[in-house]
């Protein structure tokens, strides 16, 4: 046997033919013991690791299951994806609220079902729950401690925890079956916990015989069946729910040792592919009968297998009727859905175009003819046939109705929903089969019917397949009504991190803001559902209604209408005020004039408030008190101006404290400013304003004025406008008046240089007092913090302490600076959140944020963006918020959730929305109408350029429905979109290419778009490059590609589009990059080509080519090197020597290359492949004898990374922590960047490069976590290797998701892992752990010292700080 190979001869690589024996002899001569190691004159590769963390998980939902796995009173909806189980709760208004999510399964979920007590209709629509009067959720924990609850009167009480009525069962790719339910814990750290148990499934001989492909549950939850793809399934006998509860519930807590729902199991073999499997309902009166139906395929024939047994007997009595099964007709050869019927032992087989009803008795007797067969109803609005049914759902009905009727919804892949009804009069015939209407999304298996309560419309939910899903109300003879969207931004074909300009001035274009962030846009969806989606992270505020109003509102207050007819809103403008009234159902908003209301609307309102049935308004001249008899309109105004004095006086600042009715005003008189206090007294219907004490002279006009109740002490906070860095604090005695306590100088605070700029005036712009629910319980701690928003974009946090606390006496307070947070670069407005005392809203420039003090010790403070969404306008882009407040609770609609309603002013809009306090990914969709393929943000145009494709079918011969692949044309085009408005400014189809035979064909597929700036003789030319290609099909073997140079520019308010040059190639051009000032490098087929633009001659020069062994799929340039990812040979590195393309290095392993990212500051390239690996490839500074580049780390990802980008997306309040152990990456503009990658299923991954010390510490902690069942309950691979990290490229990967779970668990979990004594074998030797806990802790201390200093006495605390900094969110 001989073959050709390349060998090094006299410093040159030549091709030689050698035989196998020669190679073996040479290998023996140069054995590892004697083979000399080649020197590395250019240095050794860096010892570098990589940390990965999921920023945004995939939104793909495989199944949606309504289930009560927390409590019988909780109307939960389970969203189950490949890697997660999410609990969401359905509320009375048809909206879903996020509850909890579990993501630590360690492998993919193959199937899911629910067993237990069947769902019953809700008796009330209120909160959409099966609700008993005065009932409360049962609570528990798994630590054995007594759970506690509060009753309706707020009194603490105890109640034993109970297992919910339903349990979720999952099958995992790791060959495990998991049983799962959830429960609440209430106390200092209230949260939702998951209670699980797992059991191994029998091993299959092959992947197709691996159990877990299908799960079926008996209607009465007596049995469970789990099938493989072919040849085998397993039956499990389940314990009754009463026995499951008795096994788990022990002394008011949960005992995991008693959680075992399985009573018995039995394995079965079948001959064929298992297509479907379901349990059938027994006939009435035969309740012990258990029937399992399998639909199998064997020898290209579809057959039915029936297994029956008595539920009171063991599983070995289960018998199969017929060894070969009942053969079905060809019309049911490929059933898509198997639906058991409830009112009889029958089932539906749904095929592509027909629905057949089969009776079990006929099947057992060998009758293959169905009792009924009907055509699938057609949508009159869409006559296209051939759309496949994908899922079915059974709505909840009353027990009386369900005993005689069986209602079923069947969904089609294009969103059309069929409603089918079967009744007991003729249980084997479809009595109603009609089109319920099209849903506005594609539908796969994620489809369900939710329960809104009795006498309510049916509510359908679809997860969306390559489109956004939604919730829809279904009414008879009406189109479904859209209620709410279900987020889905898959598949992602491309994404960009765009530094979008907000203006056109040169100053705005070139300004380098420290708080500026890139925005992430992605190509998502397919066909008519294609979108450009902007991914945002934070809290979602769903807009309920909004009204156009006058701009310029500075402040807003809301008051309840005591007549029960809505809410009043009082607005303050720079020169006047206004009053609006909104109805209780938000449907009507009317302006109330001054004559009708009696309020002083011609003056600017400085402060307002309410107590009892009184409303207080403070203007620049007076204080007004209104008493509501029924509403403001019928109130009587009482003007009180005694404390103001002459007309020369003017109120420049005011505050009102509702509990004590205290009024604070800052009055200007003859250029002097005084602080006055007064109190509103109401006696016998008479209202007076009593002045308290003497006025206090202020040094300047106040920049802010606030009064707060600090644990019984009234404190007034006054910010100075002219005295730089000043905040004055006064104590208010209701008898003696004001007393000065302290004067805080902001310039004297130990603030870092990055916090306050040299030319910045740290003037206090706003003040708010909030609760710190995680404060240390020391005697002087008040549990309150002072938030000061400065005009330079800084938020300063002070701890408020009580200096002299004496019972029943006033005490002085002091403030101690805790820290400062950069919010932005403009004035920071802080507004207390009346719905949650531990939080506040923050407005700074374009950002609206929510700050909250948490119970978690690991993250005591959280700041999140608030993003407004409009269900009627998916591309809604919010403008800067100028004022915000909470809507006051309406007593007569206490269950409507209006306490979560947020009222804000944005531009000329008054927006009323409901705030979802759960953090998540909020999407903004810009519809493009076609399938988006590639995306570019053009800095020159300040526009998004998206390449879309539309597939059109060529006509076929009459009567021929088969369309081969080549009978379709791909028509590609470019769309230019404004990133804020979402408006498509220009749609330009690409010109059709002409084949060699002269036949005009499709325009091909666009594989890339690029901005190109050509500089020639001090002139700059802006181009947009578009590289395309046509691929081989079944009917055509011709391939081609080209590069088009386009000029697009703004002209007279429109876009001027011209095609300047075209480079034609005989192979598809998958990627192109700029080289130098006027040259291009691109990949065409297997060739890397260099071509220069001859500007003066207006043409391209001849190409210089270099052939590689496989197709070039991605190319980039870091001069003088050219990097090419190839389809089969990973990464190749070339250089341009002025004449030729010279090979320099290549990856040492042949991989199926997909994408790569060359880091600007390191000789390291991140390369991705189709197997899901991210490899760090180190390039030596210069070429050496070994041409192979060195792989320094490999990270195995859950999915293939299709794109890698450098982006600056960190919010300013989570700045990058500068660690010597972290490699920092800077972009072209000098901004520090993060590495972000995306998978096609919508996940966003953050990559961080680590020095050796950081990698070793983090990997050490990860190895501890991998053997901890609290952190990794389903993945125990960590016990196979030693805790001490191994220096190998496959172990240089640190999983940030595992470390995040540890960080959320707290330092106590890390302490426990470090101090637990290791287990040893019979010989007293441990090969995977240290000899003792002390030795393990000493090694841990050494690793912490390598990364941090100052934590010698508390290495655990240092490690937690390290985790906090490494894992901090960047979105």
């Amino acid at each position: 046997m001989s073959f050709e190979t390349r060998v090094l001869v006299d410093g040159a690589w030549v091709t030689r033919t050698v035989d196998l024996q020669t190679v073996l002899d040479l290998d023996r001569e140069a054995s590892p013991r004697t083979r000399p190691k080649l020197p590395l004159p250019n240095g050794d590769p860096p010892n570098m690791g990589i940390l990965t963390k999921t920023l945004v998980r995939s939104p793909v939902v495989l199944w949606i299951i309504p289930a009560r796995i927390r409590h019988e009173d909780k109307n939960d909806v389970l969203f189950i994806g490949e890697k997660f189980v999410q609990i969401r709760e359905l509320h009375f208004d048809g909206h879903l609220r996020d509850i909890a999510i579990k993501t630590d399964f360690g492998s993919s979920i193959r199937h899911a079902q629910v067993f237990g007590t069947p769902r019953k209709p809700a008796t009330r629509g209120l909160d959409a729950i099966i609700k008993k009067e005065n009932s409360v959720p049962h609570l528990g924990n798994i630590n054995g401690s007594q759970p506690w609850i509060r009753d309706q009167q707020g009194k603490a009480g105890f109640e034993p925890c109970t297992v919910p009525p339903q349990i979720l069962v999952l099958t995992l790719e790791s060959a495990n079956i998991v049983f799962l339910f959830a429960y609440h814990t209430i106390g200092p750290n209230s949260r939702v916990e998951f209670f699980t148990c797992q059991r191994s499934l029998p091993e299959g001989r092959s992947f197709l015989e691996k159990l877990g492909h299908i799960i079926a549950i008996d209607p009465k939850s007596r049995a469970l069946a789990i099938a493989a793809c072919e040849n085998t399934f397993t039956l499990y006998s389940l314990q009754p729910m009463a026995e499951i509860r008795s096994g788990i519930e022990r002394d008011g807590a949960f005992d995991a040792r008693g959680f075992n729902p399985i009573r018995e199991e039995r394995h079965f073999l079948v001959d064929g592919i298992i297509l479907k499997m379901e349990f059938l309902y027994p006939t009435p009166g035969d309740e012990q009968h258990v029937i399992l139906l399998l639909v199998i395929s064997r020898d290209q024939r579809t057959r039915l297998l029936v297994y029956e047994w008595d539920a009171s007997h063991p599983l070995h009595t289960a018998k199969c009727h017929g060894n070969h099964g009942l053969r079905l007709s060809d019309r049911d050869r490929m059933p898509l859905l198997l639906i058991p019927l409830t009112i009889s032992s029958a089932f539906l087989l749904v095929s592509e175009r027909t629905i057949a009803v089969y009776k079990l008795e006929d099947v057992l007797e060998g009758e293959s003819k169905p009792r009924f067969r009907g055509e699938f109803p057609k949508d009159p609005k869409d006559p296209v046939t051939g759309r496949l049914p994908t899922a079915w759902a059974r709505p909840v009905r009353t027990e009386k109705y369900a005993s005689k009727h069986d209602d079923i919804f069947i969904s089609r892949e294009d969103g059309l929903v069929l409603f089918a009804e079967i009744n007991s009069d003729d249980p084997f015939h479809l009595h109603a089969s009609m089109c319920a209407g099209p849903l506005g999304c594609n539908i796969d298996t994620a489809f369900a019917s939710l329960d809104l309560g009795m006498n309510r419309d049916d509510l359908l939910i679809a997860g969306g397949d390559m489109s956004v899903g939604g919730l829809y109300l279904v009414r008879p003879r009406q189109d479904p009504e859209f209620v709410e969207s279900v987020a889905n931004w898959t598949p992602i074909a491309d994404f960009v991190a765009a530094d979008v300009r907000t203006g056109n001035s040169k100053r705005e274009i070139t300004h380098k803001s420290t708080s500026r962030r890139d925005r992430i846009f992605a190509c998502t969806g397919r066909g008519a559902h294609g979108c450009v989606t902007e991914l945002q992270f934070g809290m979602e505020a769903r807009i309920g209604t909004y009204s156009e109003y006058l701009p310029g509102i500075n402040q807003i207050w809301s008051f309840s209408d005591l007549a029960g007819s809505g809410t009043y809103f009082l607005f303050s403008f720079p020169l006047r005020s206004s009053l609006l009234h909104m109805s209780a159902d938000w449907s009507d908003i009317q302006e109330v004039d001054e004559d009708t209301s009696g309020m002083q609307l011609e003056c600017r309102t400085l402060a307002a408030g309410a107590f009892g049935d009184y409303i207080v308004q403070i203007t620049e001249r007076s204080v007004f008190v209104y008493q509501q008899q029924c509403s403001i309109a019928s109130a009587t105004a009482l003007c009180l101006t005694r404390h103001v004095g002459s007309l020369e006086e003017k109120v420049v600042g005011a505050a009102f404290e509702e509990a004590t009715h205290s009024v604070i005003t800052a009055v200007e008189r003859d250029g002097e400013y005084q602080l006055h206090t007064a109190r509103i007294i109401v006696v016998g219907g008479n209202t007076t304003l009593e002045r308290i004490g003497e006025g206090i002279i202020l040094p300047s006009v106040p920049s802010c004025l606030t009064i707060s109740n600090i644990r019984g002490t009234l404190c007034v906070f006054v910010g100075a406008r002219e005295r730089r860095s000043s905040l004055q604090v006064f104590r208010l005695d209701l008898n003696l008046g004001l007393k000065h306590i302290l004067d805080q100088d902001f310039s004297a605070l130990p603030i870092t240089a990055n916090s306050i700029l040299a030319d910045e005036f740290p003037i206090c712009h706003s003040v708010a007092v909030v609760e710190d629910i995680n404060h240390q319980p020391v005697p002087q701690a008040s549990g309150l913090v002072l938030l000061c928003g400065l005009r330079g974009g800084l938020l300063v946090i002070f701890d408020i302490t009580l200096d002299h606390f004496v019972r029943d006496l006033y005490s002085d307070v002091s403030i101690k600076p805790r820290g400062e947070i950069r919010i932005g670069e403009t004035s920071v407005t802080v507004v207390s959140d009346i719905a949650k005392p531990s939080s506040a809203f923050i407005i700074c420039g374009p950002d609206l944020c929510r700050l909250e003090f948490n119970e978690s010790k690991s993250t005591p403070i959280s700041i999140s963006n608030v993003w407004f969404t409009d269900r009627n306008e998916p591309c809604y882009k919010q403008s800067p918020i100028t004022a915000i407040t909470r809507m006051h609770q309406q007593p007569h609609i206490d269950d409507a959730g209006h306490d979560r309603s947020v009222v804000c002013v944005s531009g000329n809009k008054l927006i009323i929305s409901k705030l979802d306090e759960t953090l998540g990914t909020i999407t903004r969709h810009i519809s493009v109408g076609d399938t988006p393929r590639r995306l570019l943000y053009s800095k020159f145009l300040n526009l998004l350029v998206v390449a879309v494709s539309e597939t059109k079918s060529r006509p076929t011969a009459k009567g021929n429905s088969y369309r081969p692949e080549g009978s379709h044309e791909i028509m590609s085009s470019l769309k230019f979109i404004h990133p804020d408005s979402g408006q498509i400014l220009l749609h330009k189809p690409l010109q059709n290419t002409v084949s060699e035979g002269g036949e005009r064909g499709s325009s091909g597929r666009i594989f890339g778009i690029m901005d190109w700036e050509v500089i020639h003789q001090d002139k700059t030319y802006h181009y947009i490059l578009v590289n395309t290609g046509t691929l081989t099909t079944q009917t055509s073997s011709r391939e081609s590609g080209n590069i088009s140079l386009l000029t697009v520019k703004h002209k007279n308010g429109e876009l001027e589009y011209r095609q300047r040059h075209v480079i034609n190639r005989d192979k598809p051009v998958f990627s192109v990059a700029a080289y130098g000032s006027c040259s291009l490098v691109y990949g065409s087929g297997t060739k890397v080509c260099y071509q220069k633009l001859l500007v003066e001659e207006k043409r391209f020069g001849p190409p210089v080519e270099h052939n590689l062994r496989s197709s070039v799929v991605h190319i980039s340039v870091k001069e003088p090197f050219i990097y090419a990812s190839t389809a089969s040979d990973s990464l190749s590195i070339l250089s341009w020597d002025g004449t030729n393309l010279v090979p320099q290095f290549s990856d040492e392993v042949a991989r199926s290359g997909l994408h790569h990212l060359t880091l600007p500051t390191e000789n390291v390239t991140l390369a991705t492949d189709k197997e899901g690996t991210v490899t760090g490839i180190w390039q030596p500074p210069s070429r050496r004898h070994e041409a192979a580049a060195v792989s320094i780390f490999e990270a195995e990802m859950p999915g293939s990374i299709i794109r890698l980008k450098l982006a600056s997306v960190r919010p300013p309040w989570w700045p990058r922590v500068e660690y010597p152990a972290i490699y920092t990456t800077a972009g072209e503009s000098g901004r520090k960047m993060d590495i972000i990658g995306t998978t096609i299923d919508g996940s966003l991954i953050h990559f961080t490069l680590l020095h050796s010390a950081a990698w070793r510490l983090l990997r050490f902690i990860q190895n501890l976590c991998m053997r901890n069942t609290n952190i990794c309950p389903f993945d125990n691979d960590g016990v196979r290797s030693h805790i001490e990290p191994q220096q190998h490229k496959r172990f240089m990967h640190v999983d940030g998701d595992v470390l995040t779970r540890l960080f959320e668990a707290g330092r106590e979990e890390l302490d426990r892992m470090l101090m637990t004594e290791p287990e040893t074998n019979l010989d007293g030797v441990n090969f995977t752990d240290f000899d003792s806990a002390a030795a393990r802790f000493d090694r841990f201390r050494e690793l912490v010292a390598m990364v941090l200093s100052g934590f010698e006495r508390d290495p655990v605390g240092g490690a937690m700080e390290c985790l906090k900094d490494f894992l901090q969110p960047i979105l």
Side-chain angles (χ1 to χ4, degrees), residues 107 202 227 244 246 375 482 549 553 616 620 658 662 704 710 772 921 1024 1066 1116 1141 1173 1214 1254:
S107 62
I244 294 176
S246 62
E375 294 290 331
F482 177 71
Y549 203 57
I553 298 175
V616 178
E620 294 176 321
E658 296 182 350
S662 301
C704 63
I710 310 296
D772 182 4
T921 304
I1024 291 180
D1066 59 353
S1116 66
L1141 293 169
T1173 303
W1214 297 123

Side-chain angles (χ1 to χ4, degrees), residues 142-442:
I142 59 176
N143 299 322
S145 61
Q146 183 78 350
W148 63 275
I149 61 174
R150 292 188 181 275
D151 60 15
Q152 294 295 331
Q153 288 74 33
K155 299 179 181 179
F158 293 91
E159 186 172 320
C161 56
T162 60
V163 176
Q166 293 179 319
I167 295 175
L168 176 67
V169 56
L170 307 170
T171 53
L172 304 182
E173 198 69 46
S174 58
N176 286 330
I177 179 173
V178 178
F179 299 94
L180 177 151
F181 64 87
Y183 64 96
H184 279 273
T185 63
I186 290 185
N189 296 302
S190 176
R191 62 192 182 278
V192 175
E193 293 284 355
F194 290 91
F195 195 80
T196 64
C197 79
Q198 58 178 316
R199 181 167 179 163
S200 297
L201 291 170
E203 292 289 340
R205 292 177 298 178
S206 65
F207 173 78
L208 295 178
E209 296 183 1
K210 189 176 182 180
L211 291 174
H213 175 59
I214 304 176
I215 301 178
I217 302 290
D218 173 58
K220 297 184 179 296
S221 297
R222 299 165 297 185
L224 162 71
I226 301 178
C229 294
E230 62 181 23
N231 297 340
T232 181
F233 71 94
T234 299
L235 275 178
Y236 296 93
S237 176
L238 298 177
Q239 297 187 31
M241 289 300 297
E243 295 184 15
I244 294 176
R245 291 190 181 95
S246 62
I248 299 176
E249 300 168 5
R250 301 288 176 85
D251 300 327
F254 290 147
D255 185 0
R257 295 170 296 181
F259 191 13
N260 182 22
I262 295 177
R263 173 184 291 174
E264 182 187 2
E265 68 179 89
R266 181 186 173 190
H267 308 291
F268 293 83
L269 297 177
V270 294
D271 184 13
I273 301 172
I274 302 176
L275 302 177
K276 303 291 177 183
M277 180 175 68
E278 289 284 358
F279 282 91
L280 301 184
Y281 286 79
T283 56
D286 191 11
E287 304 301 329
Q288 295 297 321
H289 194 188
V290 184
I291 310 162
L292 179 64
L293 175 66
L294 280 80
V295 182
I296 67 171
S297 176
R298 183 174 65 246
D299 299 331
Q300 298 183 355
R301 302 294 183 184
T302 302
R303 304 172 186 272
L304 298 179
L305 289 178
V306 180
Y307 292 81
E308 294 182 295
W309 71 97
D310 192 297
S312 60
H313 296 167
L315 288 180
H316 68 80
T317 62
K319 303 298 182 181
C320 177
H321 289 271
N323 295 328
H324 302 288
L326 176 66
R327 176 180 166 182
L328 295 177
S329 64
D330 289 341
R331 299 187 67 179
D332 294 326
R333 180 179 177 183
M334 187 56 65
L336 300 175
L337 299 175
L338 169 61
I339 306 175
L341 299 181
T342 60
I343 58 177
S344 63
S345 291
F347 57 92
L348 301 181
L349 281 184
V350 182
S351 301
E352 180 178 346
R353 291 185 174 87
T354 65
I355 302 176
V357 181
Y358 284 85
K359 185 179 179 182
L360 176 63
E361 183 179 350
D362 295 344
V363 174
L364 297 179
E365 294 177 355
E367 177 59 55
S368 61
K369 184 178 180 180
R371 288 294 184 99
F372 170 84
R373 184 183 298 278
E375 294 290 331
F376 205 99
K378 299 179 181 179
D379 182 8
K381 300 179 181 179
D382 183 14
V384 179
T385 60
R387 307 289 174 83
L388 302 180
T390 56
W392 65 277
R394 178 173 282 118
V396 176
R397 297 291 188 253
T398 62
E399 185 175 354
K400 180 179 179 180
Y401 180 89
S403 64
K404 297 183 178 181
H405 299 82
D406 192 3
D407 296 344
I408 300 170
F409 288 105
I410 301 176
S411 66
R412 209 169 67 174
E413 60 182 345
D414 61 345
L416 184 68
V417 175
L418 163 73
F419 176 76
E421 179 187 350
I422 298 176
N423 61 44
S424 58
D425 296 337
D426 187 359
F428 310 112
H429 188 276
L430 289 182
H431 290 267
S433 177
M434 64 191 73
C435 179
L439 306 186
C441 62
N442 297 331

Side-chain angles (χ1 to χ4, degrees), residues 433-558:
S433 177
M434 64 191 73
C435 179
L439 306 186
C441 62
N442 297 331
I443 302 177
D444 196 4
T445 54
F447 176 73
S449 174
L450 308 184
D451 181 22
L452 276 177
M454 296 178 63
N455 302 321
R456 300 287 298 273
D457 297 315
D458 288 323
L459 182 65
L460 299 182
I461 182 172
D465 178 31
M466 295 189 291
S467 69
V468 178
L471 282 82
Y472 298 84
L473 282 173
V474 179
R475 299 184 177 93
R477 294 174 296 278
Q478 297 182 25
D479 286 340
E481 177 186 345
F482 177 71
V483 177
E484 173 182 283
S485 64
V486 176
N488 188 2
W489 52 89
T490 60
I492 291 182
D494 195 8
F495 86 102
V496 296
D499 182 16
V500 180
R501 301 196 308 265
T502 58
N504 296 321
S505 66
K506 293 184 178 180
R507 179 182 181 276
E508 292 185 50
I509 295 174
T510 59
H511 177 57
K512 302 302 179 183
S513 168
T514 58
S515 61
R516 191 182 62 194
R517 285 184 282 170
D518 292 341
R519 293 162 59 182
I520 297 178
F521 296 90
C523 293
T524 65
R526 286 290 184 268
H529 300 284
C531 295
V532 173
T533 300
E534 182 176 4
L535 300 178
Q536 305 164 128
F537 191 82
M539 296 180 178
E540 182 179 10
R542 298 185 181 96
I543 296 177
T545 184
Y546 65 86
S547 176
E548 300 285 343
Y549 203 57
L550 297 176
I553 298 175
N554 296 327
Q555 208 165 354
I556 182 174
W557 298 268
S558 68

